Amino acid sequence: MRDIKPDVTVILDVDPNIALARTTKRNHQETRYEKFAMEFHQRVRQGFLEIAENNPERCIVIDATQPIKKILKTHAKA
């Protein structure tokens, strides 16, 4: 089996407290992940940030607390 890796991985980084607050504003039925303890969410975030740290050649970490227009201006290719 070949070792297949993506060319680019985009990680939208946000504090779990902010992310969970955002999910409560959405009108959807899925709440499975929202019910997990905060420790779980923090471990998941840390895992993604470690992936980015260990793969800087392909990972882009975006501060997802910024306004969308600022993110686009900062990360859009010309």
Side-chain angles (χ1 to χ4, degrees):
M1 180 187 252
R2 294 185 349 208
D3 187 24
I4 300 173
K5 293 182 182 178
D7 293 332
V8 176
T9 301
V10 176
I11 299 171
L12 300 174
D13 182 37
V14 65
D15 181 278
N17 290 300
I18 295 170
L20 290 171
R22 288 178 179 177
T23 63
T24 61
K25 292 180 182 178
R26 284 190 247 154
N27 185 16
H28 62 83
Q29 301 298 326
E30 181 62 54
T31 59
R32 180 176 45 170
Y33 286 104
E34 288 84 349
K35 291 180 181 178
F36 287 122
M38 183 57 64
E39 181 181 308
F40 167 81
H41 295 285
Q42 293 189 4
R43 282 194 326 261
V44 169
R45 178 187 188 202
Q46 189 57 43
F48 279 111
L49 293 175
E50 286 176 14
I51 290 170
E53 186 177 321
N54 293 327
N55 299 277
E57 70 285 352
R58 71 171 171 88
C59 290
I60 300 168
V61 179
I62 295 175
D63 178 356
T65 62
Q66 299 179 80
I68 292 172
K69 286 183 180 184
K70 183 174 181 181
I71 291 171
L72 290 173
K73 185 177 180 181
T74 303
H75 296 282
K77 287 188 175 187

